[in-house]
Amino acid sequence: MQYIKEDIENMLIKHKENEGKKIEIEIKLYEYQKRLDYAGTVYEDTAEEVIENMQVTGRTYDSTPSKTNKISDKVLNTALNYKKEIKHINKEDRAFLNQEIQRLNAERENIDIKIARVKNWLDKINEKEAFVLEQLYINNQGKNWNKVIKTYEQEYKKTITERQLRTTRDKAIQHILKIVNV
């Protein structure tokens, strides 16, 4: 694949976004893996805990609000059904979790390549060129030359014009294009 100037600029502009995506993907991977680790596990409560959780409270038969003649006795139902509630099985969808983990790993790999590529480019050009590209594209999304001029003057204690910075940017992108278009 042959890269052009706009491709380089777009990758530089999206660099911070990609770093943020990578962190979010890692967090989601951790959460999915944690859920997968507990999927299918059995948790066993004590009989007292189950009965307490089933909120055993009796109701008098004459105050039972019912539209039918069927009367439900909560105490009787608890006494009959609490043994079924002692074992709780975590019924997470293991196939879904595995699929999401695979999808996120593939996405993370793709983003890792983009991040590594941009870091490699900035490492292979000279310091001032890398500074201009970083300030213009990564920190300002290619929009604000005045901020780049101010930060350049603060960093290098040298007055510079927008035209000079544009020339530096163009040289830097040409160096990057020589690297990537082999």
Side-chain angles (χ1 to χ4, degrees):
M1 177 178 164
Q2 290 289 319
Y3 286 91
I4 59 174
K5 178 182 176 185
E6 288 77 18
D7 296 331
I8 304 299
E9 290 173 333
N10 285 333
M11 288 183 77
L12 288 167
I13 288 170
K14 292 181 179 178
H15 182 69
K16 269 192 177 178
E17 180 183 326
N18 287 335
E19 287 180 329
K21 280 182 183 178
K22 180 181 177 184
I23 291 170
E24 284 300 316
I25 287 172
E26 289 173 354
I27 291 169
K28 286 180 183 178
L29 277 170
Y30 173 77
E31 290 171 347
Y32 282 139
Q33 188 60 51
K34 195 173 177 182
R35 285 173 55 188
L36 184 63
D37 291 343
Y38 289 108
T41 58
V42 176
Y43 178 74
E44 195 166 326
D45 284 326
T46 64
E48 291 82 21
E49 290 173 327
V50 172
I51 292 170
E52 187 176 308
N53 287 337
M54 291 179 84
Q55 298 176 354
V56 179
T57 55
R59 188 177 280 169
T60 60
Y61 291 110
D62 58 327
S63 68
T64 304
S66 177
K67 295 188 189 292
T68 66
N69 290 333
K70 183 178 178 187
I71 297 176
S72 175
D73 186 357
K74 198 167 192 174
V75 175
L76 177 65
N77 286 337
T78 301
L80 293 174
N81 297 323
Y82 83 94
K83 287 187 178 180
K84 295 177 189 171
E85 300 287 328
I86 287 179
K87 287 189 179 180
H88 171 72
I89 300 174
N90 187 345
K91 297 179 181 173
E92 284 277 0
D93 186 358
R94 295 178 69 84
F96 168 76
L97 293 174
N98 280 322
Q99 182 182 358
E100 283 298 301
I101 288 171
Q102 286 177 343
R103 182 186 65 78
L104 289 172
N105 277 325
E107 195 171 330
R108 179 177 61 181
E109 188 176 315
N110 186 24
I111 288 176
D112 279 344
I113 290 169
K114 290 177 183 178
I115 291 171
R117 181 172 275 152
V118 169
K119 286 182 179 180
N120 177 49
W121 296 343
L122 294 176
D123 186 48
K124 300 303 182 246
I125 59 178
N126 76 43
E127 179 186 340
K128 289 182 181 180
E129 290 173 345
F131 181 83
V132 169
L133 291 181
E134 221 173 293
Q135 292 304 312
L136 179 63
Y137 293 112
I138 296 174
N139 294 338
N140 292 310
Q141 296 183 336
K143 295 177 183 171
N144 195 339
W145 279 104
N146 291 331
K147 279 186 179 179
V148 179
I149 291 170
K150 288 177 186 174
T151 54
Y152 187 94
E153 289 174 352
Q154 289 173 354
E155 180 72 22
Y156 294 104
K157 311 287 189 247
K158 180 181 174 186
T159 305
I160 194 162
T161 65
E162 183 178 327
R163 185 181 191 106
Q164 290 171 311
L165 285 177
R166 286 181 187 269
T167 304
T168 304
R169 176 208 53 195
D170 293 339
K171 284 181 185 177
I173 290 179
Q174 287 305 314
H175 285 120
I176 292 171
L177 286 171
K178 285 180 186 176
I179 294 169
V180 296
N181 290 331
V182 284

